[in-house]
Amino acid sequence: MLHRSTLVSLCVLCGLLGVAPSAFGQVFVPHTVAPSTKELQQTGIALLREALQLAQFQQYDPALARTKLATQLLPNSEEAWALLGGLYLSTEQLDPGIQSLEKSLTLNPKNAGVNFSLGSAYFRKGNYPAAVRALETGLKTKPDVPEALFDLGNTYFRMGRLEDAIGSYKKASSKDKKFWPAMNNIGLIQYELGNVDSAIQSWKAAIAVDDKNTTEPKLALAVALYKQGKTDQGITLATSVLALDRRYGDVAFLKDNLWGDRLIADTKTIFATPKVRDTLAALPAVPEKDSKSSPSKPK
């Protein structure tokens, strides 16, 4: 499972700006011929407040327009550049997002949240060494953020540094006992290493944390059970899971979520069984935008 933050935390930004989301109001533009520096700064802050409010409701285009103007009025504001970068990432504009986040870091290199977002952006670009550098830099300032540790584990996973990935996932789980995605991904690695029993234990542990939302470990568990010869149990579990989330019937989606070659091959085997095949055929197609989105960590 992938969990990548694409927008700098609104709560963090609100704290930096000294405002609360509920306090956002309409932008006030001074009606003066030559506004003072203070008035321009006040306008910039007002624009950021409104942009944050719009971002909360996923109205990214108008939020982007306001934040771009805010960076012109507040060119030395790390918060403005951070928000602009986060909004770019939310609209899949990775290059300008990275540029804006880098600009924010020139103003405050120790901003952990910005480093975490930058690491996520580099991950999505496939620049894994840069992602590791950004995430590790952020973790030096805030070492107890499970989501960042999880992102670092995913990056190590992509780089083939499996032991490092497991270590990072374990740290994420130790910081948040309910952070089941880390347990899930440990299972993915264990399965690829041939440690099927250990993988099953990891997936069962993830499911025990949140039985309602753990679609991915349930499907992985179904595949493992089928592979072990518990065919009826595996098929029953697989069909029930796929009925809840059709995306997991797409092999490309599974690969995007770090499923390895061994697990994919065994998944194709169970997908080819008549009952699972008929279940998938009866389900509606997944909209393209949903098929490209990764599930996020449950709150």
Side-chain angles (χ1 to χ4, degrees), residues 254-297:
L254 297 177
K255 289 181 178 179
D256 286 343
N257 283 279
L258 301 177
W259 285 41
D261 294 340
R262 185 192 297 266
L263 186 55
I264 288 291
D266 293 342
T267 300
K268 288 180 178 178
T269 299
I270 195 172
F271 280 2
T273 60
K275 187 173 182 180
V276 176
R277 186 177 64 242
D278 291 346
T279 297
L280 288 172
L283 295 173
V286 180
E288 184 177 356
K289 65 180 181 64
D290 292 334
S291 68
K292 293 181 179 180
S293 63
S294 297
S296 61
K297 173 184 176 295

Side-chain angles (χ1 to χ4, degrees), residues 218-287:
K218 285 179 180 177
L219 180 59
L221 177 60
V223 174
L225 292 173
Y226 185 88
K227 181 66 175 180
Q228 286 188 328
K230 302 174 183 178
T231 55
D232 290 342
Q233 188 177 352
I235 288 174
T236 299
L237 181 56
T239 53
S240 65
V241 167
L242 293 170
L244 293 173
D245 194 335
R246 175 65 174 80
R247 294 177 302 171
Y248 286 98
D250 182 355
V251 170
F253 180 78
L254 297 177
K255 289 181 178 179
D256 286 343
N257 283 279
L258 301 177
W259 285 41
D261 294 340
R262 185 192 297 266
L263 186 55
I264 288 291
D266 293 342
T267 300
K268 288 180 178 178
T269 299
I270 195 172
F271 280 2
T273 60
K275 187 173 182 180
V276 176
R277 186 177 64 242
D278 291 346
T279 297
L280 288 172
L283 295 173
V286 180

Side-chain angles (χ1 to χ4, degrees), residues 12-297:
V12 172
L13 285 172
C14 287
L16 290 170
L17 290 169
V19 297
S22 60
F24 298 143
Q26 297 297 316
V27 176
F28 169 69
V29 179
H31 294 285
T32 58
V33 176
S36 67
T37 299
K38 183 177 180 180
E39 288 173 325
L40 291 175
Q41 290 175 340
Q42 290 175 340
T43 300
I45 291 172
L47 285 166
L48 288 180
R49 289 172 174 168
E50 187 165 328
L52 282 167
Q53 185 182 40
L54 291 166
Q56 283 186 304
F57 294 96
Q58 298 184 354
Q59 297 182 35
Y60 297 129
D61 289 339
L64 265 171
R66 286 160 174 77
T67 308
K68 287 179 183 179
L69 180 55
T71 59
Q72 296 177 33
L73 298 174
L74 303 169
N76 295 319
S77 168
E78 63 177 277
E79 299 88 358
W81 289 106
L83 179 57
L84 182 61
L87 289 168
Y88 274 131
L89 298 188
S90 295
T91 55
E92 299 299 323
Q93 300 181 67
L94 298 184
D95 288 333
I98 288 172
Q99 292 172 5
S100 298
L101 293 172
E102 291 280 14
K103 174 64 176 179
S104 179
L105 285 178
T106 64
L107 298 167
N108 181 8
K110 295 184 179 181
N111 189 314
V114 175
N115 275 296
F116 295 153
S117 291
L118 187 60
S120 170
Y122 276 127
F123 180 96
R124 291 159 65 184
K125 288 280 289 184
N127 189 343
Y128 303 128
V132 167
R133 287 194 297 272
L135 290 166
E136 288 182 339
T137 298
L139 286 165
K140 288 179 182 178
T141 303
K142 289 191 175 181
D144 299 330
V145 181
E147 292 85 356
L149 289 164
F150 180 71
D151 284 351
L152 183 60
N154 288 340
T155 309
Y156 285 145
F157 198 164
R158 286 291 194 201
M159 297 173 75
R161 296 170 56 178
L162 301 186
E163 292 301 323
D164 289 333
I166 289 176
S168 193
Y169 291 143
K170 286 183 176 179
K171 286 181 182 179
S173 293
S174 70
K175 303 303 179 185
D176 182 354
K177 301 299 184 183
K178 295 184 178 181
F179 196 95
W180 61 262
M183 305 173 198
N184 173 77
N185 281 21
I186 289 174
L188 296 180
I189 293 176
Q190 290 169 330
Y191 199 92
E192 292 308 299
L193 294 175
N195 303 323
V196 178
D197 289 338
S198 295
I200 287 175
Q201 290 178 4
S202 293
W203 291 325
K204 285 184 175 180
I207 295 167
V209 170
D210 185 352
D211 182 66
K212 182 179 179 181
N213 296 301
T214 44
T215 303
E216 183 174 342
K218 285 179 180 177
L219 180 59
L221 177 60
V223 174
L225 292 173
Y226 185 88
K227 181 66 175 180
Q228 286 188 328
K230 302 174 183 178
T231 55
D232 290 342
Q233 188 177 352
I235 288 174
T236 299
L237 181 56
T239 53
S240 65
V241 167
L242 293 170
L244 293 173
D245 194 335
R246 175 65 174 80
R247 294 177 302 171
Y248 286 98
D250 182 355
V251 170
F253 180 78
L254 297 177
K255 289 181 178 179
D256 286 343
N257 283 279
L258 301 177
W259 285 41
D261 294 340
R262 185 192 297 266
L263 186 55
I264 288 291
D266 293 342
T267 300
K268 288 180 178 178
T269 299
I270 195 172
F271 280 2
T273 60
K275 187 173 182 180
V276 176
R277 186 177 64 242
D278 291 346
T279 297
L280 288 172
L283 295 173
V286 180
E288 184 177 356
K289 65 180 181 64
D290 292 334
S291 68
K292 293 181 179 180
S293 63
S294 297
S296 61
K297 173 184 176 295

